């Protein structure tokens, strides 16, 4: 999981560091800071996993169930969130994920006591990373690097990977 996701957090903007390293629910933290919080689902579909998702999910080939959302404050996108799991995991330990609709994934993950979470990992993303390119589709004119954090959630033998990419409007609101 950590390969490529070990950039020193001290390289991140100072105002972002507490957000990258906070171990609780990002959704709960955003709601506390942004009362006009909402989730906008961009897509939920079967897709090939990104190269850096294959090993942690133990998926060499094939497709994963991918859910992409924007975490918003009003009309302002703050975080692009990308979650992936093997399709079998959504039929077993993570079956509720397919029924979330516009509810946050965190509302399910942190309310389910049998789900465990790996330590957080983070990195700076540039235009070479597929998640940077997907986030850039939501923010025309994006040019600089983005910071993201990632963790793996487990329900028994099933795994779900969540990556949260902090967008420039978030930085402006925090600064």
């Amino acid at each position: 999981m950590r390969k490529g996701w070990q950039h020193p957090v001290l390289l991140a903007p100072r105002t972002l560091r507490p957000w990258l390293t906070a171990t609780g629910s990002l959704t709960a933290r955003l709601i506390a800071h942004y009362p006009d919080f909402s989730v906008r689902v961009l897509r939920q579909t079967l897709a090939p996993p990104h190269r850096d998702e294959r090993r942690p999910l133990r998926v060499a080939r094939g497709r994963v169930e991918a859910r992409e959302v924007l975490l918003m404050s009003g009309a302002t996108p703050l975080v692009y969130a990308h979650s992936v799991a093997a399709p079998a995991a959504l039929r077993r330990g993570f079956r509720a994920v397919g029924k979330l609709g516009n509810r946050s994934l965190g509302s399910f993950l942190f309310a389910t006591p049998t789900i465990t979470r790996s330590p957080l990992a983070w990195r700076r993303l540039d235009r070479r990373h597929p998640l940077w390119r997907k986030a850039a589709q939501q923010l025309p004119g994006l040019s600089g690097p983005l910071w993201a954090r990632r963790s793996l959630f487990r329900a028994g033998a099933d795994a779900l990977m969540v990556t949260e990419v902090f967008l420039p409007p978030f930085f402006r609101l925090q600064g």
Side-chain angles (χ1 to χ4, degrees):
M1 156 89 136
R2 291 211 172 268
K3 187 175 181 180
W5 284 82
Q6 300 172 333
H7 291 189
V9 76
L10 290 175
L11 296 176
R14 183 179 305 277
T15 57
L16 184 57
R17 291 177 203 160
W19 291 85
L20 288 169
T21 59
T23 57
S25 167
L26 178 62
T27 298
R29 191 164 183 185
L30 287 170
I31 289 170
H33 284 81
Y34 304 101
D36 199 10
F37 175 84
S38 65
V39 176
R40 181 190 307 162
V41 178
L42 301 172
R43 72 183 193 136
Q44 186 161 338
T45 188
L46 285 173
H50 299 146
R51 181 174 292 149
D52 61 356
E53 295 170 341
R54 292 179 190 151
R55 180 173 282 165
L57 288 174
R58 298 183 183 139
V59 177
R61 298 197 190 278
R63 298 191 176 270
V64 292
E65 185 74 28
R67 182 174 194 252
E68 299 172 8
V69 303
L70 286 176
L71 306 180
M72 312 277 292
S73 175
T76 304
L78 302 174
V79 175
Y80 166 82
H82 172 83
S83 58
V84 289
L90 269 65
R91 291 190 298 273
R92 295 186 304 238
F94 293 101
R95 66 183 159 270
V97 172
K99 302 171 187 160
L100 287 173
N102 283 337
R103 288 178 296 144
S104 76
L105 181 57
S107 66
F108 161 69
L109 294 174
F110 288 93
T112 309
T114 56
I115 293 176
T116 60
R117 184 185 200 182
S118 72
L120 288 163
W122 46 82
R123 71 173 286 178
R124 185 173 50 198
L125 304 177
D126 61 27
R127 64 181 65 246
R128 294 174 293 183
H129 197 281
L131 292 180
W132 186 97
R133 293 191 299 270
K134 288 180 179 186
Q137 291 174 355
Q138 306 307 313
L139 293 170
L142 182 65
S143 60
L146 299 172
W147 278 87
R149 68 183 206 164
R150 171 175 279 180
S151 58
L152 197 64
F153 291 85
R154 292 205 175 274
D158 296 318
L160 175 97
M161 178 179 287
V162 177
T163 307
E164 297 150 331
V165 181
F166 293 84
L167 302 174
F170 177 87
F171 294 100
R172 285 193 294 276
L173 293 173
Q174 287 299 304

